Amino acid sequence: GQLKTSASLDYDTKNSYSVTVSVSDGYEGTDSIDVTINVTEFDDSDLSVALSSRTTKVSDAIVDAIDGVTSASDVKVGHLVNVTSLDLSHEEISSLTADDFDGLTYLTSLDLGYNSLSSLPSGLFDGLTALTSLNIQNNSLTSLPDDIFDDLTKLKTLILTGNDINTLQGDLITSLSSLSTLKLDHNDLSSLPAGFFATGRKITNVDVNWNTVRPLKIQVSLIKVADGQSKMTCPIGSPIDIQPQTTISSSGEAVDGETHNGLGWDSHAISAGATESGILDVQRKEGNLDAVTVTFDQINLTSDGAHSGYEYELVGNMSVQVLPLQVPLAPTNNMTLIPEETALLSNYPNPFNPETWIPYQLAKPADVSLTFYNTQGQVVRELALGQKPAGYYTDRVRAAYW
C-alpha cells in the first residue's frame, strides 16, 4: 500500500515521523501496524538558477559577484549563498521584477541608488533577512508598497534620499526593529503619519530635511521627585540619546554620582527608548539656608549624525525648586526672647504650589492679619490670625499658612 501526506514534508523541519495505520472490516475484524516515515534530505545546491527571468542588470551583477562563474547559465543555488553585496547604482535601471533577489538570503548590502525607478514591485525584498544596508536614493519613487520592508528585520540603514515620495504608510517601518539610520531628505513629504516612529525605537539618525514635513515633536519636562531630587521625563520615550544641560542655582551643591561638580549632566541624560532620566540629587552646602533650584538650560544631542526628524518641545516649568528656603528659628529660651522689630519675612517655598508658609516676627503684641493682592492691586485673600503675643513666628508650626 501507499501513504500520502496532506502537506509536503520538509527535512529541515522534521526528518522522521511515526504513524499508526489501522484497518477494519466494519465489524469485528481489525488490525494495525506502526510505520516510520523517514525524510531524505535533498541537496539542491547543485540545481541551476533561472536568472533569465530576472532584470538583466540584476542577473549580470549576481554573476559578477560569484567567483569562478562567467555565465548566468552556470549559476547554481549553492552559489547564491556567497553573494553578500550587490552594487546596482548608476545602472539606468527603470524597473525591477518581484523575483530579482530571490534566494539571496545572505545578502547584507544592496545599493539601488541613482537609477530611474518610479516604483518597486511588492515582495521585492522578501527573504532578504540578512540585509543590513539598503540604498534607494536618487530615483523617482513617489510611494512604496505596504509590505516592501516586512522581512528586513536586520536592516540598520535605509536611505530614500532624493526621490519624489509624497506619502508614507504609518506601519511602513514597523518591522524594522534594528533600524538606526533613516534618510528621507529631499522628497515631497508634507507630513509624517501618526505612529510612524514607534515608541522606544532606537533610530538614532533621522533626516527629513528639504521636505515640508514638520519634525516629530518629542516633549521633555523637568519635575521634582522628592525633596532634593529632580529628573527629566519624556512620556512617549526618546528615540535617541539626549543630554539635557541643567544648572543648580543659589549655593546648592549637586551630588552627581561621585563627581559633585554642581551640574546635573549625567544624572539628567535620557537614553534612547527611555521615558525618563536618572535622578539628580541636590544638597545644600553647609550653612546655606537659601532655596535650591534646578534649572533646565538646553538639550545636547549625544548621538552622532543628523536628527532633523525630531524636534524637542519643552513643556511645563523648566525651573524646579527642589529644596525650600529654610528660615532659621530664633532661640526661644522658654519663649522669652522678643525681636527688636516687627517684620514680615519671605514666604517659603517660593514659587509655591499648592501651599506656602509666611513667617513673621512681632516686637510687641498685636492683632495680626495678612492681606494678599494680585498684580492689579486687587485683594485676593485675607488671613485674620487674631491677637498674637510678641515673639518669633518663623517655623511651619507658628508661621501663617496659605
Side-chain angles (χ1 to χ4, degrees):
Q2 292 183 336
L3 298 179
K4 183 178 180 180
T5 62
S6 60
S8 300
L9 303 183
D10 184 354
Y11 175 87
D12 293 326
T13 302
K14 189 174 182 180
N15 57 31
S16 182
Y17 298 82
S18 296
V19 298
T20 299
V21 180
S22 300
V23 295
S24 171
D25 60 6
Y27 297 95
E28 297 181 355
T30 61
D31 197 9
S32 64
I33 59 172
D34 293 327
V35 178
T36 299
I37 302 174
N38 292 317
V39 185
T40 302
E41 182 178 17
F42 179 72
D43 184 6
D44 61 357
S45 63
D46 201 38
L47 291 179
S48 296
V49 178
L51 295 183
S52 58
S53 63
R54 310 192 189 202
T55 303
T56 301
K57 294 289 187 179
V58 175
S59 175
D60 292 344
I62 293 174
V63 172
D64 291 342
I66 302 172
D67 291 337
V69 173
T70 57
S71 172
S73 60
D74 295 331
V75 176
K76 309 294 183 183
V77 171
H79 289 141
L80 298 184
V81 301
N82 296 315
V83 181
T84 59
S85 177
L86 283 180
D87 186 354
L88 291 163
S89 62
H90 300 88
E91 293 289 351
E92 300 181 355
I93 300 173
S94 59
S95 64
L96 293 168
T97 63
D99 63 350
D100 270 337
F101 305 114
D102 282 359
L104 299 176
T105 55
Y106 288 87
L107 192 67
T108 59
S109 176
L110 177 59
D111 191 345
L112 294 168
Y114 297 92
N115 284 293
S116 304
L117 294 167
S118 59
S119 64
L120 298 177
S122 181
L124 177 64
F125 304 127
D126 286 0
L128 302 187
T129 55
L131 199 65
T132 59
S133 176
L134 176 59
N135 183 6
I136 322 178
Q137 69 177 327
N138 289 85
N139 280 274
S140 301
L141 300 174
T142 57
S143 62
L144 296 164
D146 290 344
D147 59 353
I148 191 69
F149 303 131
D150 281 3
D151 278 5
L152 308 186
T153 56
K154 292 186 178 179
L155 193 68
K156 295 181 179 179
T157 300
L158 176 58
I159 301 177
L160 295 166
T161 298
N163 282 280
D164 300 314
I165 299 173
N166 53 47
T167 183
L168 293 171
Q169 301 89 323
D171 60 352
L172 184 68
I173 62 172
T174 299
S175 62
L176 304 182
S177 55
S178 300
L179 193 65
S180 59
T181 296
L182 177 60
K183 300 289 188 179
L184 289 166
D185 52 300
H186 294 81
N187 278 282
D188 293 328
L189 292 168
S190 59
S191 65
L192 292 177
F196 186 72
F197 295 105
T199 301
R201 184 181 302 281
K202 295 186 178 181
I203 306 179
T204 58
N205 190 348
V206 176
D207 192 348
V208 293
N209 282 317
W210 298 100
N211 286 276
T212 58
V213 62
R214 292 180 62 85
L216 176 68
K217 286 186 178 296
I218 308 295
Q219 293 186 337
V220 179
S221 302
L222 176 67
I223 64 171
K224 177 180 176 180
V225 178
D227 279 349
Q229 294 184 334
S230 67
K231 67 180 178 181
M232 303 294 299
T233 64
C234 183
I236 69 169
S238 178
I240 62 175
D241 293 337
I242 63 172
Q243 182 70 78
Q245 182 177 345
T246 52
T247 57
I248 310 302
S249 67
S250 83
S251 54
E253 178 183 353
V255 181
D256 180 16
E258 298 179 355
T259 60
H260 299 272
N261 60 5
L263 294 175
W265 274 58
D266 293 337
S267 295
H268 274 177
I270 302 179
S271 301
T275 58
E276 60 184 36
S277 71
I279 293 176
L280 174 66
D281 291 304
V282 175
Q283 66 183 17
R284 286 188 180 87
K285 289 182 178 179
E286 185 176 356
N288 174 35
L289 300 178
D290 295 338
V292 179
T293 300
V294 175
T295 301
F296 177 91
D297 292 330
Q298 65 186 53
I299 289 177
N300 297 317
L301 300 179
T302 59
S303 302
D304 294 331
H307 302 286
S308 61
Y310 305 119
E311 178 179 278
Y312 284 87
E313 180 181 32
L314 311 181
V315 295
N317 190 356
M318 291 294 104
S319 184
V320 174
Q321 186 179 96
V322 294
L323 288 173
L325 171 72
Q326 283 190 341
V327 179
L329 292 177
T332 59
N333 191 21
N334 295 325
M335 303 302 294
T336 59
L337 291 181
I338 304 299
E340 294 182 358
E341 61 181 359
T342 296
L344 181 65
L345 307 177
S346 297
N347 68 300
Y348 61 93
N350 183 18
F352 68 93
N353 184 17
E355 57 188 359
T356 189
W357 286 261
I358 303 99
Y360 61 96
Q361 61 190 40
L362 299 176
K364 60 183 179 179
D367 187 19
V368 179
S369 65
L370 282 78
T371 305
F372 300 86
Y373 301 85
N374 62 19
T375 55
Q376 284 76 43
Q378 300 167 323
V379 176
V380 295
R381 181 75 185 274
E382 287 190 79
L383 292 179
L385 304 181
Q387 186 69 26
K388 298 289 183 181
Y392 291 94
Y393 298 85
T394 55
D395 60 19
R396 293 195 180 192
V397 175
R398 310 189 76 208
Y401 170 77
W402 186 7

